Amino acid sequence: MLLVGVTTLPTASAAPFTLFESGQVRPLALSPNGRLLFAVNTPDNRLEVFHVGSSGLSHRTSVPVGLEPVAVAARSNDEVWVVNHLSDSVSVVRLDSEGREATVTRTLLVGDEPRDIVFAGPGKRRAFITAAHRGQNAPFDPQLTTEGIGRADVWVFDSENLGGSLGGSPLTIVPLFGDTPRALAASPDGSRVYAAVFHSGNRTTSLNEALVPDGGEAAGGTPGPNTNFAGKPAPEVALILKYNGENWVDVLNRSWTDKVRFSLPDKDVFTLNATANPPTQLAGGAGFHTGVGTILFNMAVNPVSGKVYVSNTEARNDLRFEGPGIFGGRTLKGHLHESRITVLGAGSVTPRHLNKHINYAVCCTPTPNTESERSLAQPLGMAVTSNGATLYVAAYGSSKLGVYATAQLESDTFVPSTANQIELSGGGPTGVVLDEARGRLYVLTRFDNSISVVNTATKQEVAHLPMYNPEPASVVAGRPFLYDARRSSSHGDSSCGSCHVFGDFDGLAWDLGNPDGDVKANPLPVVPFLPEFGDDPTLGQDTSFHPLKGPMVTQSLRGMANHGPMHWRGDRNGGDLGPSSQPDNGTFNEAAAFKAFNPAFVDLLGRSSQLTPAEMDKFTNFILQVMYPPNPVRKLDNSLTPAQQAGRDFFFNVTSVFNGPCESCHHTDPNANPSAGAFKGFFGSDGRSSFDAGRQFPRVPHLRNAYQKVGMFGVAFPNGSVPPDAFLGEQIRGFGYNSDGTIPTLFQFSSGFDVGILNPAGIPRTPEGELAKRNMEQYMLAFDSNLAPIVGQQVTLTASNAAVAGPRINLLRARAEAGECDLVAKGRAWNHELGFLYLGGGQFAGDRQALPHITDGTLRSAIAASNGVLTYTCTPPGSGPRIGIDRDLDGVLDGDERAAGSNPADAQSQP
């Protein structure tokens, strides 16, 4: 019966595991009575429950929740809330008194990519949840094209009155003036909640090359050197500027303030009044802290002093260049981000560099060395003792816990030392909770998906318990190469993950040119331009890669498979590997292109040598599996609004100044290359380069993450028919679109081609033309991605909410029928744990071999008749059998294994 069910799925041939690399925020929690430990099993989409005893931890049960759970908080001894990052949901889990049985009883729907949760307010009954200011479940217009809008939200629910609506009825949604939010913390009395912006920035921006005088530093333009070591003139490029409190200045401290049309207030951590009705941000300067850091990871509150500790990294992107720097100037080599804890007091912000022992003037000593072993990289989760005297910090990039006396941390008198660090065998610690009653720390180690138990008296790991991990071996083996700073840098504080945060980006631009580098030939094919210019698509311009390339925004490492050469110019490519054709041949070979980044370990991170070929193979095999999430702007039924559809029609059908419509360069075909499984398709790029209005030939960029870059508004240069903006005031981002991040909006991006696309005779702009550009903008914000919008979405059916949940179940079924997802249902009925996989045609297969297929209607009726509960989830295509009915894919269904006493999470354990 299982084989029949699986083979009838239209997507059964797809990969059974989809890698999102979501960053855990609050992965562990203790029950208030200290008897149970809760851990999110992110890759397995579950909550694991452990009994805490005098002899250690013992596993009690495992509860299916949403996709990519990243945070958990215990409201009581028998109720736990889990934040599901990809499902845009929160699972409310009820447990029996012993923690042996647990079930999701309610699924709350929130904004896009929720990350953290705390309970605070009166009786600590209010749940505060961070989410991005967008998403199909949000009951508001995100105003993605309006300047001055905060892009961070805190959703607040009354845990004792969730409301009868489909996704729950929040008390309020508090908007915050920042980019995507991440961490939360509550004051000891629950009266205040602190919310941190994730990519909070550091008051840097890029100035468009059109506003920088040509001719280099001598002419008032780009700071020197303006040639490489061989005297080859550099292209004219943009400038990175940093606000110094009075002016926007470049690396030479020259002011460009009159050219910047917005301000960056850099509001990093916000303070909410948790007891107000409804909760709201405190008024005035009491409502936020600035200058906390660039990437803010987590927060902890001292229970005695009330001070807030913020783990973060501070970017140094206002400086330039990688490589040895024979020109005598400082380079970024080995000194990109500084790992810090910033202490927030009443009106004070005090950053503390955790690695103040590092001598950045000396580089590239082989590791391990005495300096690197004292370093802590990428601090994440924290815990403070009840007396407020000691702070524990999980150093993700160092596979250690740091131990700090809070008084020494606050006064900056601490001395970095391995004596105050605890080695963890699993690697990649993300979260830590303190069990003072037993003198234990529990730490989740993400590299191996396990939990370490640490003795606080001896500062030693005393136990290590693995959780079931469905990730392929290639993912587990390759993940450390992205984050492990002890392996990546001679100082022990930098890794690729310093900028490519959790495999994504940091929201910044960096000038990573190298004056000591050679000019290299460009082997990439170029999209044909104007037919009247003949057969040369380059218009006679030099397409070679000059080593001084100017500012370029950090690119995501998601979704690189099937998209050819890498980096903005495509200067990391397969080179001369034979004929160039898609997929994956010649210069389009993604594996070869990614391996071309190996020199960056030395030139940028400051490693003493490159990775070995075997190590780089592992890194490559891992990173090419990381996937983009579904687009949160597009409607859940995958349809387009009239404006989006009009924009798509223009994008595909209206011939432009280029030799065809926009799609002729930004090639889009989600169904191309079906043999590549989950990685199939082109999403705005097929890997070719193109003519550009700037002085270099960039690769045509994909458009899957355009919605992530909303928040920079205000341009000082004329773009097509669009004049410069007036001063637009406070914004949340300093970098927008294009390779250098200088184009604020997609409207400005499309305006650059007015003359050719909309006004071929040079006619002044028209209302019809403006509308066409607005429609194009709407379409690009809702652009196709590898996964349909429905993937991850959930609903919980109970005996009493069929009328409310029914339409949502119908939607999930319809999208599964369309092949956009695999639909699974998990829950309990008649006191039995149940799992189902939708086969299509209204039929579900259960997780017991002997049971016949059951119709959708019969299943819903059974839940009502048994007073049961069932949570439906749309999972990535191909993953339904694993998530729904056969967890370890050993061919024996989960229900049969439970009945026989074998372990559904162990392929070696069978009836």
Side-chain angles (χ1 to χ4, degrees), residues 848-881:
R848 296 196 178 212
Q849 187 78 21
L851 292 179
H853 294 172
I854 185 172
T855 67
D856 176 33
T858 301
L859 183 57
R860 298 194 207 189
S861 297
I863 295 301
S866 65
N867 197 31
V869 60
L870 198 63
T871 298
Y872 295 74
T873 306
C874 261
T875 71
S879 64

Side-chain angles (χ1 to χ4, degrees), residues 346-391:
S348 65
V349 176
T350 312
R352 295 300 183 220
H353 184 197
L354 299 183
N355 301 312
K356 57 185 179 179
H357 64 285
I358 292 178
N359 180 1
Y360 288 107
V362 177
C363 181
C364 306
T365 304
T367 56
N369 58 65
T370 55
E371 182 184 73
S372 68
E373 288 302 286
R374 296 163 63 194
S375 299
L376 295 180
Q378 199 162 328
L380 298 187
M382 294 173 288
V384 188
T385 55
S386 59
N387 63 6
T390 304
L391 173 71

Side-chain angles (χ1 to χ4, degrees), residues 476-539:
V476 178
R479 178 174 285 117
F481 293 98
L482 177 60
Y483 304 107
D484 189 346
R486 297 168 75 179
R487 188 193 309 236
S488 299
S489 60
S490 66
H491 297 311
D493 70 334
S494 299
S495 69
C496 300
S498 298
C499 296
H500 298 284
V501 185
F502 301 118
D504 202 14
F505 55 48
D506 57 6
L508 304 174
W510 298 76
D511 188 345
L512 300 182
N514 183 356
D516 308 308
D518 294 310
V519 176
K520 297 181 179 179
N522 183 347
L524 306 182
V526 178
V527 177
F529 186 50
L530 290 170
E532 55 264 35
F533 280 84
D535 296 330
D536 181 9
T538 70
L539 305 184

Side-chain angles (χ1 to χ4, degrees), residues 267-293:
K267 297 177 181 179
D268 293 344
V269 175
F270 296 84
T271 304
L272 278 59
N273 182 343
T275 61
N277 292 307
T280 185
Q281 181 183 340
L282 294 184
F288 60 89
H289 290 82
T290 65
V292 178

Side-chain angles (χ1 to χ4, degrees), residues 562-563 665-668 682-688 699-702:
N562 208 40
H563 278 74
C665 283
H666 291 279
H667 184 41
T668 302
F682 302 110
F683 302 94
S685 174
D686 59 9
R688 293 178 294 172
R699 282 184 64 233
V700 178
H702 73 90

Side-chain angles (χ1 to χ4, degrees), residues 48-315:
E48 308 291 350
V49 183
F50 297 85
H51 177 258
V52 181
S54 57
S55 59
L57 300 178
S58 58
H59 188 259
R60 280 286 168 88
T61 192
S62 180
V63 192
V65 287
L67 300 191
E68 301 289 291
V70 295
V72 57
R75 187 174 86 86
S76 65
N77 293 321
D78 59 3
E79 184 175 301
V80 181
W81 291 36
V82 181
V83 175
N84 306 305
H85 185 64
L86 195 88
S87 287
D88 300 344
S89 68
V90 177
S91 301
V92 180
V93 180
R94 297 286 299 186
L95 303 97
D96 66 6
S97 59
E98 296 298 319
R100 297 185 185 278
E101 292 184 358
T103 307
V104 174
T105 59
R106 185 73 188 265
T107 298
L108 305 176
L109 305 179
V110 295
D112 187 39
E113 297 185 338
R115 284 180 165 88
D116 201 7
I117 178 172
V118 296
F119 290 99
K124 297 187 178 181
R125 61 182 277 181
R126 292 175 172 175
F128 295 75
I129 300 152
T130 51
H133 186 76
R134 56 180 183 249
Q136 297 93 338
N137 298 321
F140 52 74
D141 175 4
Q143 297 178 276
L144 297 176
T145 59
T146 303
E147 68 270 12
I149 300 293
R151 304 293 165 189
D153 290 331
V154 176
W155 291 56
V156 187
F157 290 88
D158 181 345
S159 61
E160 297 182 6
N161 183 17
L162 297 177
S165 63
L166 175 67
S169 303
L171 288 174
T172 188
I173 302 172
V174 183
L176 306 175
F177 195 75
D179 208 341
T180 303
R182 180 174 157 91
L184 290 165
S187 61
D189 63 359
S191 66
R192 297 287 183 266
V193 166
Y194 307 98
V197 175
F198 186 18
H199 295 170
S200 69
N202 59 353
R203 288 187 170 177
T204 56
T205 188
S206 287
L207 184 68
N208 191 274
E209 179 268 326
L211 297 172
V212 181
D214 291 351
E217 184 177 335
T222 306
N226 301 122
T227 70
N228 73 333
F229 74 97
K232 179 73 172 178
E236 300 291 341
V237 296
L239 288 181
I240 291 180
L241 307 179
K242 186 175 181 68
Y243 188 70
N244 64 6
E246 295 182 0
N247 289 295
W248 290 96
V249 297
D250 62 19
V251 71
L252 299 178
N253 205 37
R254 299 177 301 182
S255 175
W256 302 83
T257 304
D258 63 323
K259 300 294 192 297
V260 181
R261 294 294 198 260
F262 58 88
S263 62
L264 294 176
D266 193 32
K267 297 177 181 179
D268 293 344
V269 175
F270 296 84
T271 304
L272 278 59
N273 182 343
T275 61
N277 292 307
T280 185
Q281 181 183 340
L282 294 184
F288 60 89
H289 290 82
T290 65
V292 178
T294 304
I295 306 294
L296 309 186
F297 289 110
N298 285 77
M299 293 188 292
V301 179
N302 189 308
V304 176
S305 68
K307 291 184 177 179
V308 182
Y309 306 110
V310 186
S311 59
N312 67 91
T313 57
E314 178 74 350

